[in-house]
């Protein structure tokens, strides 16, 4: 999509102007679709854990009391389809077709299943490739597979702000590469990868590409089939608001499915699960990527979250996300940059996702002060990165304005100079 | 444990007598701790999906509204410990110590992680062993590992009713065996394995043993450490009443943990997860067997279920289970056997778990008639097995009596002679 004309404020808006943006926000009504306790903090951490949709409360109540409590094992007649059915609802958000997405397991386990399947199907290609700045669990999963399969894990460097380019990828790969695994939106910088260019570069070498959509699904347009992407994984608890530890998803391009076989052979991936056959025969299609009993409550909640995003529409969400992050960027220029804060995200909104990263050596202490004292929830990634996310379904422009204002206020007070308050989860 | 003296009825009790057993049942009060809709069916399928505890409704409401909705990402300060904390509560039910059990993933994925870790740690032992009648997903997971690691999966035959004996296991293994994987209670016959004898036989060959506790945890005493068991997995949605697709668990004997490394390297298994280090360093202890984000709602529900079982006490649950299945067996002898129904479970209650299997060529039609027409929920396993389970936390003796009575009534009417009603999940 292109940037809306005139979207970028030429000077930092006032708080009154931010309130004006909220009054004219076509998505403003979606905020009421979430449980937002009165007097609670400003929540700019939807890129870590999204808020609770009101409809989820009702859906979980129905699932628990009516389905589990009332129908008991008979409810499996409906539940058994949930991984594929929720997958189809997710598919519509990522440019995939029905039967190409499955909701199941965790992102890490799904990455293992897909990357392991590619290695098994590509005995003559002995290299996995990723960006050295990719999210740790992605790199760990690939490192484990590289070790067990006796192949090379090749990590390439890229610009820490703009992320890996198609040229970086092209330079890192050769005809020995089986799979390139990258994040669509970088967890640290929010850099948005060139999915078309990278996919072309990978395919030019005969390799496959796997996209981690955790930080892009629900926040930026994703067009897997339009780009010819092969594989993808992602989580549902960030911009999709599926809840803590909600099931992840995986995508396998339709014409690739029956040539890949995940390394974990479980009964839910069997062609005839309830025949209890002696041997494993993988199901045809996306179902073969299932393993064990699906987490029904989590799937139900993930489905509600996906439906809310679909109702709002990715294009409208993206427009609001760009406007709000552009506003924060203008405020950054006028208030945070003079205080020594660096910008860790791309300046061009077409090149980033829905959060901004601010860099400061006292970032840990500042981020905890923001949570504990200023009522602004952001998160911190070592050594120096504060991430401030706009979740366009529920964040207001005023919240985005107040967040940057709180940061500059805290820095002016010197809250970053003391030791950070205790805490284990950053 | 030994069978209570005089527990076995010498002749089949009347329904009045069954009602008398209920009046003197010390666990009778636990039935009210579950959501049991008025007018609902007799539910004898707790070995497939356990009922909904009332406390779970409250706990899920608190988790959703107060923790997720209210505390948002800050609640991870507490959630992050749930896999180990719920694991510790499960450990008390299976004779394991604190820090030896982890609640996570599905049973199939956990089996893959543990069996894969054993193969990686035992390069000179190239055989996996299981019982040919073990639950399909266990055999499928092991078959997948055997294929990927180029090792042999050796399946041995055992008596279909009494299950694998220690002698069967001893005869099937040699010094090439890395791991023997068996179910503690067989999913089909309910045969209870000799955990002490089998573990000794396996250790005598220098191999490790992995027990699938899915059909025993919460229903029969399990003493992993007392038996010197090495590894175990199990699910929480049967006798533990954790809900559909609730997270499974895994056990690794304490002194074995740091010598095993699961094949899936995820960020939750890292020694310092939030340091976002470049390389994977496995955590010390049971934490290294985690992979991705834990399913928080499922863990919370599993914890409630485990606590209910602990409150009732395994010994009391086992006593009631034996009394009720013995009563059903006496009714079987007097009413079902004359109608041509076979017994697919051991006669000696010390040698079986908490369900009875009845064999009949028209079992599928009969089981569906029981569900649809007679208001008795049992399940069917092809080709001919109807399983009737006693979940001693909530089933009454009268329900057990009525279930067998309904079966003999249906058979007398000939309901098994027609085609089975449609249905996908049996």
């Amino acid at each position: 999509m292109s940037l809306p004309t005139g979207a970028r404020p030429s000077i930092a808006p006032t708080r009154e102007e931010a309130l004006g943006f909220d009054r004219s926000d076509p998505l403003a009504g979606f905020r009421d679709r979430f449980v937002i306790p009165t007097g609670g903090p400003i929540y700019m951490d939807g890129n870590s854990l999204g808020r609770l949709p009101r409809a989820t409360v009702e859906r979980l109540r129905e699932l628990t009391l009516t389905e589990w409590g009332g129908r008991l094992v008979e409810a499996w007649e409906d539940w058994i389809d949930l991984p594929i059915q929720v997958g189809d609802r997710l598919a519509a958000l990522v440019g995939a077709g029905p039967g190409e997405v499955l909701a199941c397991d965790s992102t890490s386990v799904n990455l293992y299943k897909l990357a392991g399947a590619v290695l098994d199907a590509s005995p003559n290609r002995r290299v996995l490739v990723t960006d050295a700045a990719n999210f740790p669990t992605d790199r760990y999963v690939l490192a484990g597979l590289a070790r067990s399969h006796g192949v090379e894990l090749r990590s390439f460097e890229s610009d820490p702000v703009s992320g890996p380019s198609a040229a970086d990828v092209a330079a890192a790969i050769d005809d020995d590469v089986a799979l390139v695994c990258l994040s669509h939106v970088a967890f640290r910088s929010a850099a948005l990868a060139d999915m078309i260019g990278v996919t072309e570069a990978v395919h030019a070498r005969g390799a496959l590409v796997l996209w981690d959509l955790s930080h892009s699904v629900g926040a930026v347009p994703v067009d897997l089939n339009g780009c010819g992407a092969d594989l993808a994984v992602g989580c549902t608890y960030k911009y999709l608001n599926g809840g803590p530890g909600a099931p992840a998803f995986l995508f396998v391009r339709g014409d690739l499915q029956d040539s890949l076989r995940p390394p974990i052979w479980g009964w839910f991936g069997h062609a005839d699960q309830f025949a209890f056959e002696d041997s494993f025969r993988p199901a045809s299609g996306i179902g073969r990527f299932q393993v064990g009993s699906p987490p029904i409550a989590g799937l139900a909640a993930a489905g509600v979250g996906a439906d809310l995003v679909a109702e709002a529409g990715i294009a409208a969400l993206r427009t609001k996300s760009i406007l709000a992050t552009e506003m924060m960027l203008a405020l950054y220029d006028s208030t945070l940059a003079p205080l020594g804060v660096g910008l860790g995200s791309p300046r061009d909104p077409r090149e980033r996702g829905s959060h901004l990263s601010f860099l400061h050596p006292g970032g840990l202490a500042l981020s905890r002060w923001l949570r504990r004292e200023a009522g602004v929830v952001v998160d911190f990634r070592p050594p120096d990165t504060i991430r401030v996310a706009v979740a366009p379904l529920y964040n207001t422009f005023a919240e985005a304005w107040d967040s940057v204002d709180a940061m500059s206020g805290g820095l002016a007070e010197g809250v970053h100079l003391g030791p950070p308050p205790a805490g284990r989860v950053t």
Side-chain angles (χ1 to χ4, degrees), chain A:
Chain A
M1 71 180 290
S2 61
L3 179 64
T5 311
R8 183 152 193 176
S10 57
I11 56 166
T14 64
R15 190 164 194 282
E16 274 310 307
E17 287 168 326
L19 289 168
F21 298 157
D22 283 324
R23 282 190 294 273
S24 58
D25 173 13
L27 297 179
F30 279 92
R31 184 173 168 89
D32 286 338
R33 308 282 287 276
F34 291 83
V35 173
I36 302 185
T38 315
I42 291 173
Y43 191 67
M44 307 301 286
D45 206 17
N47 58 328
S48 180
L49 175 68
R51 279 195 182 273
L52 167 63
R54 287 183 189 277
T56 300
V57 179
E58 189 48 44
R59 180 71 189 93
L60 288 179
R61 189 178 161 79
E62 175 190 43
L63 175 80
T64 306
L65 286 171
T66 307
E67 296 178 24
W68 175 13
R71 293 183 61 208
L72 284 154
V73 72
E74 298 259 18
W76 271 111
E77 292 277 343
D78 297 323
W79 293 336
I80 199 91
D81 291 330
L82 272 182
I84 288 177
Q85 195 217 84
V86 173
D88 284 347
R89 288 142 81 187
L90 293 165
L93 306 179
V94 294
E100 290 190 316
V101 175
L102 185 72
C104 58
D105 295 312
S106 66
T107 309
S108 302
V109 168
N110 285 335
L111 176 58
Y112 180 87
K113 290 189 294 188
L114 297 189
V118 169
L119 283 177
D120 289 342
S122 318
N124 298 321
R125 289 174 171 263
R126 311 309 292 162
V127 181
L128 296 170
V129 172
T130 193
D131 163 23
N134 200 356
F135 189 68
T137 208
D138 296 48
R139 292 186 279 110
Y140 302 158
V141 166
L142 297 173
L145 279 167
R147 181 170 174 273
S148 63
H149 286 67
V151 304
E152 176 193 351
L153 172 59
R154 187 180 295 165
S155 292
F156 66 89
E157 303 287 331
S158 60
D159 183 274
V161 173
S162 62
S165 66
D168 292 335
V169 173
I173 64 179
D174 54 36
D175 294 344
D176 289 333
V177 172
L179 181 71
V180 177
C181 172
L182 294 176
S183 288
H184 185 210
V185 168
F187 81 105
R188 189 181 293 277
S189 68
L192 181 62
D194 170 9
M195 193 183 271
I196 295 176
V198 167
T199 300
E200 281 178 2
V202 172
H203 286 176
R205 287 296 197 164
L208 299 178
V209 64
L210 187 156
W211 292 99
D212 185 335
L213 306 176
S214 293
H215 282 273
S216 60
V217 61
V220 304
V222 184
D223 190 7
L224 289 169
N225 282 337
C227 299
D230 306 298
L231 305 159
V233 296
C235 80
T236 65
Y237 50 72
K238 298 178 185 292
Y239 296 105
L240 294 181
N241 307 299
F249 64 90
L250 59 83
F251 158 84
V252 183
R253 206 182 69 214
D255 62 351
L256 206 58
Q257 291 172 1
D258 288 346
S259 64
L260 293 177
R261 192 167 178 172
I264 315 178
W265 299 2
W267 66 319
F268 272 75
H270 196 282
D272 192 358
Q273 177 183 3
F274 290 104
F276 293 89
E277 293 175 8
D278 284 340
S279 298
F280 183 72
R281 282 192 300 126
S284 182
I286 198 74
R288 65 170 51 194
F289 298 94
Q290 287 197 76
V291 180
S293 294
I296 298 304
L299 286 169
V304 172
D307 293 347
L308 261 180
V309 167
E311 184 185 341
I314 290 283
L317 292 166
R318 175 66 167 159
T319 299
K320 178 175 173 182
S321 160
I322 287 178
L323 290 171
T325 51
E326 285 289 273
M327 182 190 74
M328 287 200 293
L329 194 50
L331 290 164
Y332 161 83
D333 285 336
S334 61
T335 66
L336 292 177
L339 292 167
V341 177
L343 180 65
S345 296
R347 277 205 165 262
D348 187 332
R350 293 167 297 193
E351 294 172 4
R352 64 172 190 253
S354 203
H355 75 265
L356 290 179
S357 285
F358 300 117
L359 312 177
H360 195 282
L364 179 58
L366 176 61
S367 70
R368 292 210 171 137
W369 173 85
L370 285 165
R371 280 195 187 186
R372 308 277 162 82
E373 306 295 330
V376 178
V377 179
V378 298
D379 69 21
F380 175 76
R381 290 293 173 256
D384 63 353
T385 304
I386 291 178
R387 304 188 303 180
V388 186
V390 172
L393 272 174
Y394 50 79
N395 279 130
T396 64
F397 288 89
E399 287 183 317
W401 197 97
D402 289 343
S403 301
V404 181
D405 187 58
M407 288 180 71
S408 59
L411 287 168
E413 279 182 40
V415 301
H416 55 291
L417 300 173
R424 297 180 302 159
V425 180
T426 54

